[in-house]
Amino acid sequence: MSDDMTEAGLIPVPDQSVLVIDFGSQVTQLIARRVRESGVYCEIAPFNSAQEAFERLSPEAVIFSGGPASVTDEDSPRAPQAVIDSGVPIMAICYGQQTLCTQLGGVVEGGHHREFGRADVDIKKASPLFEGLWEAGGSYPVWMSHGDRVTELPDGFEVLGQSPNAPFAIAADEARKYYTTMFHPEVVHTPDGAKLIANFVHNIAGLTGDWTMAAYKAQAIEAIRAQVGDGKVICGLSGGVDSSVAALLIHEAIGDQLTCILVDHGLMRMDEAAQVVAMFNEHYDIKLIHVDAADMFIDALEGESDPETKRKTIGKLFIDVFEEEARKIGGAEFLAQGTLYPDVIESVSFTGGPSVTIKSHHNVGGLPERMNMQLVEPLRELFKDEVRVLGHELGLPDSFIGRHPFPGPGLAIRCPGGISRDKLEILRKADAIYLDEIRKAGLYDTIWQAFAVLLPVQTVGVMGDGRTYEFVCALRAVTSIDGMTADFYHFDMNFLGRAATRIINEVQGINRVVYDVTSKPPGTIEWE
């Protein structure tokens, strides 16, 4: 292990690592996930701070992401020349291919036939990149997303694969270990893409793939002890998997120096606070304070319709509660929370896009100075699926680890428009019925996330012999592999009929139910 701590968090940088340089692609996170799935630690850095990240990590390999810019435009993003000249193996994807080729003396042009979606790549020559996957002379499906394309390769490069609209779909300078693809191997639409990335990491960069969650757990415990010393820590326990895993990990590191605080803000699901308190009290010897702050939060949110104001109001009130509880227990020096790596990435605007506001309810940028506390974020380097693996390492029950994600603002962002106590109670009941039907159908573990939404519209309906004017409830359920992209779950009509009938019959205030069949492309926020 390196003696240096990562800027992102507490955990020492492993001996072997990969740096992903982000040029603004919506699926850059998927590249890092694929590398980690191959057993190698990986971090993402935006192109404009990649030099510092490269010097800190000293990675054994670098991957350039795609991006929305055109290499032909003035001031378009470039990779640090020091990285290119360093001699480490480089894999460059889409825009990454274009900027690498441009910086090495090749030519990129726009105005050619664009290529978006599925394409077939014809393999012209065998390569370690394809070992065990693709053979010369074969044709294989990939996913393209480009307008510009390389029209002249730099010296030393040769074509390894072509598609109908990308004559240099795969090109490499194998002597210098520069490998480039016009297609996106990181997305699931390229069937062998994850294996291609693994081949680059193992066959070309020579990394062993020995980064495990058991090793991460041990390293995290050491790092927490080093940071906290004899200090006291309070942990914001939301009831979700992330904060629960963070609490167990910190408790394993420092024992009774940790106090967990569950803030019941009145925006949780049906009986959720009671379930979390019961689980922790019955199974774990962790000090837990249950704060009933529902009136404080709902009073502050009542009538508020702007989703960003809702998030920021909730974040501020959380800080207020934690600050008060820290005083009560004798002045904790540290505040712990379950911040994940996507929270960090999405809260930093790498390329001037909208990502700066995606996670505004998280304190990923630090705490108010008046708190005089330090953040402890032991999951800050992990993706959601990795947190679940760590939860297994820590002994969390499967039923809890498999819980659907539910964001910190809770029902506040599942209730578009103004919030009121009555509307929250209507939504809470509808949501509980919906999840109950999903569990009865045996679908809970198949679906990645499901929830009900109370729409800010009312419709006239006839129920029995009476006329009603009540709310519309929307149901959403999605499947996802990575949590970034999602497709709606294809319920059969019998299920939807049962769920809708129960909601309308059992929840006073709803007279119509609709099902949301919107797919979620990368980088979007749903239902707020």
Side-chain angles (χ1 to χ4, degrees):
M1 305 299 297
S2 166
D3 292 333
D4 295 332
M5 299 294 181
T6 68
E7 290 181 354
L10 296 171
I11 312 305
V13 177
D15 290 330
Q16 295 185 341
S17 63
V18 173
L19 175 65
V20 176
I21 297 180
D22 181 22
F23 291 100
S25 170
Q26 293 182 326
V27 291
T28 297
Q29 288 189 37
L30 298 186
I31 303 173
R33 291 174 67 89
R34 301 297 171 253
V35 174
R36 292 191 182 189
E37 286 166 6
S38 75
V40 175
Y41 181 74
C42 179
E43 286 188 22
I44 298 171
F47 69 92
N48 51 8
S49 62
Q51 179 67 45
E52 293 87 344
F54 183 78
E55 293 171 357
R56 171 176 56 82
L57 271 180
S58 297
E60 280 67 37
V62 175
I63 300 178
F64 294 179
S65 84
S70 171
V71 171
T72 61
D73 290 343
E74 188 177 356
D75 298 326
S76 56
R78 293 290 184 268
Q81 194 62 38
V83 173
I84 296 174
D85 296 338
S86 67
V88 302
I90 294 174
M91 183 176 188
I93 297 169
C94 199
Y95 181 91
Q97 180 196 59
Q98 296 169 19
T99 191
L100 177 63
C101 288
T102 297
Q103 291 180 245
L104 290 172
V107 177
V108 173
E109 296 178 358
H112 295 274
H113 188 81
R114 299 183 302 172
E115 197 170 26
F116 294 96
R118 189 185 183 279
D120 290 314
V121 168
D122 298 324
I123 302 302
K124 301 301 181 182
K125 180 183 176 183
S127 167
L129 189 66
F130 319 140
E131 187 175 333
L133 297 174
W134 296 350
E135 297 179 354
S139 182
Y140 303 93
V142 298
W143 192 260
M144 293 283 190
S145 181
H146 68 92
D148 299 347
R149 71 185 190 193
V150 177
T151 56
E152 183 178 329
L153 290 172
D155 292 341
F157 277 71
E158 60 180 332
V159 178
L160 302 181
Q162 295 178 321
S163 74
N165 294 303
F168 305 141
I170 311 172
D173 182 336
E174 297 197 296
R176 290 189 285 179
K177 296 186 177 180
Y178 294 156
Y179 291 81
T180 72
T181 69
M182 194 68 259
F183 60 88
H184 287 267
E186 68 273 29
V187 300
V188 295
H189 311 298
T190 298
D192 293 323
K195 295 176 182 178
L196 288 175
I197 292 174
N199 276 355
F200 170 73
V201 169
H202 299 303
N203 296 352
I204 294 166
L207 305 186
T208 56
D210 56 2
W211 187 70
T212 66
M213 200 48 63
Y216 185 92
K217 172 188 168 184
Q219 295 155 12
I221 288 171
E222 291 179 6
I224 292 165
R225 289 171 179 164
Q227 182 191 16
V228 172
D230 297 328
K232 294 180 180 179
V233 180
I234 58 174
C235 178
L237 193 64
S238 70
V241 175
D242 306 336
S243 63
S244 299
V245 170
L248 291 180
L249 183 62
I250 294 168
H251 184 257
E252 192 156 330
I254 61 173
D256 61 9
Q257 293 170 243
L258 170 70
T259 299
C260 288
I261 299 174
L262 175 64
V263 179
D264 187 349
H265 47 35
L267 305 169
M268 301 178 82
R269 284 176 149 159
M270 183 78 74
D271 301 325
E272 187 171 26
Q275 292 168 7
V276 174
V277 170
M279 187 191 75
F280 272 79
N281 285 341
E282 292 172 9
H283 299 286
Y284 304 103
D285 185 25
I286 299 177
K287 290 184 286 186
L288 173 60
I289 298 172
H290 180 195
V291 180
D292 184 356
D295 287 343
M296 176 196 301
F297 279 79
I298 297 175
D299 285 346
L301 290 167
E302 191 145 14
E304 181 56 59
S305 60
D306 180 69
E308 188 64 12
T309 301
K310 290 179 185 178
R311 286 173 170 263
K312 289 182 177 179
T313 299
I314 292 167
K316 176 185 179 301
L317 292 177
F318 265 122
I319 292 297
D320 292 343
V321 172
F322 292 142
E323 191 175 28
E324 176 63 24
E325 294 302 322
R327 283 196 291 267
K328 290 180 182 178
I329 66 174
E333 298 96 328
F334 298 90
L335 173 64
Q337 59 184 23
T339 305
L340 303 189
Y341 198 37
D343 297 328
V344 177
I345 296 167
E346 293 171 1
S347 297
V348 178
S349 182
F350 283 175
T351 56
S355 60
V356 71
T357 59
I358 289 177
K359 297 289 183 180
S360 54
H361 65 284
H362 264 280
N363 303 303
V364 292
L367 296 171
E369 289 185 9
R370 63 179 172 81
M371 287 196 73
N372 195 29
M373 298 176 74
Q374 296 181 45
L375 279 173
V376 180
E377 298 174 307
L379 311 182
R380 195 177 169 98
E381 286 88 3
L382 300 183
F383 289 102
K384 187 78 172 187
D385 56 333
E386 295 171 329
V387 172
R388 290 194 167 114
V389 176
L390 180 56
H392 280 291
E393 291 281 341
L394 292 163
L396 264 178
D398 289 344
S399 60
F400 198 83
I401 290 173
R403 293 178 73 178
H404 291 180
F406 198 64
L411 297 180
I413 57 170
R414 305 305 184 216
C415 189
I419 290 177
S420 70
R421 284 171 172 78
D422 289 343
K423 289 171 68 176
L424 289 172
E425 191 59 24
I426 291 170
L427 175 56
R428 191 174 284 112
K429 290 176 180 178
D431 184 74
I433 291 170
Y434 181 39
L435 292 182
D436 182 55
E437 286 297 320
I438 287 174
R439 288 190 173 96
K440 285 179 178 177
L443 298 173
Y444 188 85
D445 293 335
T446 302
I447 294 168
W448 187 78
Q449 185 184 49
F451 52 84
V453 179
L454 193 69
L455 299 183
V457 294
Q458 291 176 279
T459 63
V460 173
V462 176
M463 300 179 70
D465 295 322
R467 177 185 173 98
T468 64
Y469 185 60
E470 296 178 331
F471 288 104
V472 177
C473 175
L475 305 179
R476 180 151 171 80
V478 298
T479 57
S480 180
I481 295 174
D482 47 61
M484 290 186 61
T485 59
D487 192 15
F488 68 91
Y489 185 77
H490 294 249
F491 286 120
D492 64 54
M493 293 305 296
N494 290 330
F495 173 88
L496 290 174
R498 287 194 306 272
T501 298
R502 276 196 64 191
I503 290 170
I504 291 171
N505 286 342
E506 298 177 31
V507 183
Q508 186 172 355
I510 294 175
N511 68 2
R512 193 177 302 265
V513 176
V514 298
Y515 184 57
D516 175 12
V517 295
T518 306
S519 294
K520 176 190 171 188
T524 63
I525 301 174
E526 73 283 359
W527 283 111
E528 59 175 26

